[in-house]
């Protein structure tokens, strides 16, 4: 049996060169320092794949129509235990994904990993963040229960604040002046086709860039390793380096060209990645079985008594809208777009080679305030999730 398998593997390898591809993939040099922080990227990837698999299962049953959508999910809830768990996994892995992708972004920001030559790693990452948010927002419309319907009413109104083309953009998404059947089919199309068709190739580009430059963006791969007794950063002599550039690709500053401590991706980093990803998948499964995915009463546009509760990832924006005076609301809605533009421009604004966060106060202080602002707004609004 073993000989047959080996022969089949050799046959396959002769035609695909799979052996050398695997060797290249598994024995890549990766950082020793901060390895647990590097598990956030692979955890993001695993959670997205979980979304894809459970999403395919859900499309086998879900009907994107205002008369059938709620009924198809209610059928899962009442009569299909497996389907209900799959729906629960889809929801909870989306929630945890948003949290983990946020942490991955914060870690690459604070460690200075967006600096030359990794500007495009960062820019593709910002694109992925926006797309993942878009998946979460469009997904929230699909159950067509009360929560979904009122979320659709509020969210599809946001494009109306775009200067000049606002009303057109809102009508385009809604398929008319009001939220209705066309809004649901359009949003379903965006959720299962448009966004994934952009998202998955962009993940491929993000990972290809990562492999090109190595995972050595973070300052901790260099700091201390290059510190001489006098406290002056001195790059080690070429013969003292375990690996040579391009880590990162040239041209770049000599100081940030070659990290001192590296190890093989397999088995070191793969083990840590595995521990974190398996832990998160188990957590998702426990939440999916223990809490599941809620389904409120079917959407009723005529109701006047329903108090909509925003999705938790909308809380910072929602809380801000409550706090500011009426005249400033359009300005608050411009804030996320401005934030994304600022993030895209970050590697070109902060061009200094220094990556140590303690030596970059001009970027670290506003960055820390922005993170704190989002956390405080979320905490302030969190009471509403439980109708407090
Ligand atoms: C679908 C979403 C994403 C996936 C699957 C993903 C995956 C990964 C993986 C596996 C790594 C290597 C391990 C690690 O550093 O954790 C990585 C590195 C990186 N990611 Fe992401 N990422 C995503 C989103 C983002 C976002 C939102 C940003 C920031 C805006 C970002 C910026 C970066 C940067 C700059 C690196 C290079 C880090 C270094 O060399 O030290 N990524 N990503």
């Amino acid at each position: 049996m073993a000989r047959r398998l080996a022969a089949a593997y050799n046959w396959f390898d002769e035609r695909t060169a799979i052996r050398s591809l695997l060797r290249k993939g598994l024995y890549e040099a990766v950082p020793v320092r901060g390895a647990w922080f590097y598990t956030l990227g692979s955890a993001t990837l695993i959670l997205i794949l979980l979304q894809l698999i459970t999403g395919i299962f859900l499309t086998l049953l879900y009907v994107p129509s205002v008369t059938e959508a709620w009924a198809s999910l209610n059928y899962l809830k009442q009569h299909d235990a497996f389907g209900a768990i799959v729906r629960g996994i889809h929801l909870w892995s989306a929630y945890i994904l948003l949290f983990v992708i946020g942490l991955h972004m914060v870690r690459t920001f604070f460690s200075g990993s967006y600096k030359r030559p990794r500007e495009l790693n960062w820019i593709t990452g910002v694109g992925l963040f926006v797309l993942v948010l878009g998946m979460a927002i469009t997904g929230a419309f699909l159950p067509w229960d009360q929560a979904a319907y009122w979320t659709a009413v509020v969210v599809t109104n946001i494009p109306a604040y775009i200067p000049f083309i606002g009303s057109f953009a809102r009508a385009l998404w809604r398929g008319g002046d009001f939220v209705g059947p066309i809004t649901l089919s359009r949003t379903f199309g965006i959720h299962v086709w448009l966004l994934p068709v952009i998202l998955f190739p962009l993940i491929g580009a993000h990972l290809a860039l990562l492999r090109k430059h190595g995972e050595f963006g973070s300052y901790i791969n260099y700091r201390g390793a290059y510190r001489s007794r006098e406290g002056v950063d001195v790059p080690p002599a070429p013969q003292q380096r375990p690996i040579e550039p391009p880590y990162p690709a040239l041209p770049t500053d000599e100081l940030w060209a070659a990290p001192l401590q590296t190890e093989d991706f397999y088995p070191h980093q793969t083990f840590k990645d595995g521990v974190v990803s398996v832990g998160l998948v188990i957590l998702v499964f426990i939440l999916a079985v223990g809490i599941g995915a809620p389904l409120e009463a079917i959407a009723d546009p005529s109701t006047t008594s329903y108090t909509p509760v925003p999705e938790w990832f909308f809380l910072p924006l929602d809380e801000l809208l409550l706090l500011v005076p009426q005249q400033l609301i359009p300005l608050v809605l411009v804030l996320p777009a401005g934030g994304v533009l600022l993030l895209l421009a970050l590697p070109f604004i902060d061009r200094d080679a220094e990556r140590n966060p303690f030596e970059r106060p001009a970027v670290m202080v506003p960055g820390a305030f922005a993170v704190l602002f989002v956390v405080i707004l979320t905490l302030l609004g969190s009471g509403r999730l439980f109708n407090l």
Side-chain angles (χ1 to χ4, degrees):
M1 182 67 182
R3 262 217 261 132
R4 286 222 174 126
L5 278 178
Y9 185 55
N10 285 339
W11 183 94
F12 194 64
D13 180 49
E14 230 173 62
R15 280 143 192 92
T16 59
I18 184 82
R19 194 172 270 130
S20 66
L21 277 177
L22 277 178
R23 199 169 298 141
K24 194 166 181 287
L26 290 176
Y27 297 106
E28 180 95 0
V30 296
V32 175
R33 296 184 185 192
W36 286 101
F37 286 108
Y38 285 87
T39 58
L40 293 170
S42 56
T44 307
L45 186 61
I46 295 296
L47 290 168
I48 287 200
L49 292 179
L50 201 55
Q51 287 292 103
L52 178 70
I53 296 165
T54 49
I56 291 172
F57 269 100
L58 288 175
T59 51
L60 297 179
L61 177 123
Y62 174 82
V63 187
S65 107
V66 291
T67 49
E68 310 274 334
W70 182 87
S72 57
L73 296 183
N74 194 42
Y75 174 82
L76 277 192
K77 194 175 160 189
Q78 306 292 348
H79 305 291
D80 181 351
F82 174 73
I85 292 175
V86 170
R87 184 170 168 241
I89 294 177
H90 197 68
L91 181 84
W92 284 103
S93 59
Y95 284 174
I96 294 179
L97 166 65
L98 285 168
F99 189 66
V100 173
I101 199 175
L103 287 181
H104 176 56
M105 193 165 170
V106 166
R107 107 87 186 125
T108 49
F109 173 80
F110 285 107
S111 61
S113 304
Y114 53 84
K115 300 217 167 206
R116 192 174 68 168
R118 293 182 180 77
E119 296 95 330
L120 291 179
N121 297 41
W122 172 262
I123 289 172
T124 50
V126 175
L128 288 171
F129 182 69
V130 172
L131 289 166
V132 166
L133 262 186
M135 292 292 290
I137 291 166
T138 50
F141 293 19
L142 302 184
W144 214 247
D145 58 358
Q146 285 285 59
Y149 177 79
W150 293 104
T151 302
V153 171
V154 174
V155 172
T156 54
N157 197 41
I158 294 176
Y161 290 95
I162 304 172
F164 308 116
I165 56 155
S167 328
F168 171 74
R170 177 176 58 188
L172 192 67
W173 191 354
R174 287 185 171 177
D177 288 337
F178 302 103
V179 168
I182 307 179
T183 322
L184 182 59
S185 17
R186 270 188 199 170
T187 308
F188 176 72
I190 296 171
H191 186 76
V192 304
W193 282 113
L194 185 65
L195 296 180
V197 156
I198 311 171
L199 181 78
F200 284 98
L202 202 61
I203 291 179
H206 191 69
L207 298 182
L209 285 165
L210 174 79
R211 277 290 156 128
K212 169 156 174 53
H213 300 303
E215 283 186 23
F216 301 106
S218 171
Y219 82 103
I220 48 175
N221 295 307
Y222 310 92
R223 189 169 184 265
Y226 287 142
R227 224 155 259 269
S228 72
R229 258 189 219 155
E230 294 77 38
V232 180
D233 290 336
V234 182
Q239 63 272 21
Q240 290 172 336
R241 296 174 183 173
I243 54 168
E244 278 303 302
Y247 287 109
L250 294 176
T252 190
D253 308 70
E254 175 74 346
L255 182 65
W256 310 105
L260 262 190
Q261 282 175 292
T262 69
E263 60 190 4
D264 284 341
F265 178 59
Y266 177 82
H268 305 281
Q269 187 66 39
T270 41
F271 170 73
K272 295 183 180 85
D273 285 350
V275 168
V276 172
S277 293
V278 169
L280 286 176
V281 171
I282 291 174
L283 177 66
V284 165
F285 190 75
I286 291 172
L287 292 167
V289 175
I291 303 178
L295 187 67
E296 296 184 1
I298 190 165
D300 176 8
S302 64
T303 183
T304 48
S305 56
Y306 182 77
T307 318
V309 177
E311 285 278 2
W312 68 268
F313 51 87
F314 245 136
L315 280 179
L317 191 63
D318 205 67
E319 190 61 25
L320 200 59
L321 287 171
L322 285 181
L323 293 178
V324 300
Q326 188 79 17
Q327 319 72 286
L328 290 185
I329 284 182
L331 216 62
V332 170
L333 294 175
V334 168
L335 208 67
V340 169
L341 287 180
L342 203 62
L343 284 175
L344 288 172
L346 176 69
F348 308 103
I349 299 171
D350 179 23
R351 292 166 67 86
D352 195 279
E354 181 59 62
R355 286 162 202 230
N356 183 343
F358 302 102
E359 310 281 338
R360 295 153 51 215
V363 181
M364 283 306 101
V365 174
F369 268 112
V371 174
L372 203 66
F373 188 54
V374 170
V375 171
I376 289 175
L377 285 175
T378 309
L379 290 177
L380 281 177
S382 59
R384 271 181 302 133
L385 288 182
F386 311 100
N387 282 327
L388 297 176

